[in-house]
Amino acid sequence: MRISSVVSFAVFVLVFMVSREATRRALEEWVALEGVVLWGASFAASLALAALASGAVLHVARLLGRD
């Protein structure tokens, strides 16, 4: 197993956990969402942010040639 994959997964989990509450609050303020719809939208937004961060880690590792 490559180190970059492990680091990427750790970044994914960390960003997802950190961004969860922030995305919910931001969506509450910007869009009139409530209940399950708010939960689903904030979940999807957190997943997208975490995926972007994880992909960035993998891309940088590939550019540096470190596996």
Side-chain angles (χ1 to χ4, degrees), residues 8 11-17 19 45-55:
S8 175
V11 166
F12 179 89
V13 171
L14 181 67
V15 170
F16 180 78
M17 290 172 47
S19 69
S46 293
L47 277 178
L49 288 171
L52 284 172
S54 177

Side-chain angles (χ1 to χ4, degrees), residues 1-7 9 67:
M1 179 178 283
R2 298 184 321 201
I3 295 288
S4 60
S5 297
V6 174
V7 171
F9 179 73
D67 288 330

Side-chain angles (χ1 to χ4, degrees), residues 14-67:
L14 181 67
V15 170
F16 180 78
M17 290 172 47
V18 169
S19 69
R20 193 73 174 99
E21 186 64 26
T23 56
R24 188 189 64 74
R25 274 186 275 129
L27 285 171
E28 269 183 329
E29 292 175 8
W30 292 344
V31 185
L33 298 177
E34 294 179 1
V36 175
V37 176
L38 175 63
W39 181 87
S42 66
F43 186 81
S46 293
L47 277 178
L49 288 171
L52 284 172
S54 177
V57 168
L58 288 174
H59 187 70
V60 168
R62 188 180 69 178
L63 287 175
L64 295 176
R66 305 212 171 140
D67 288 330

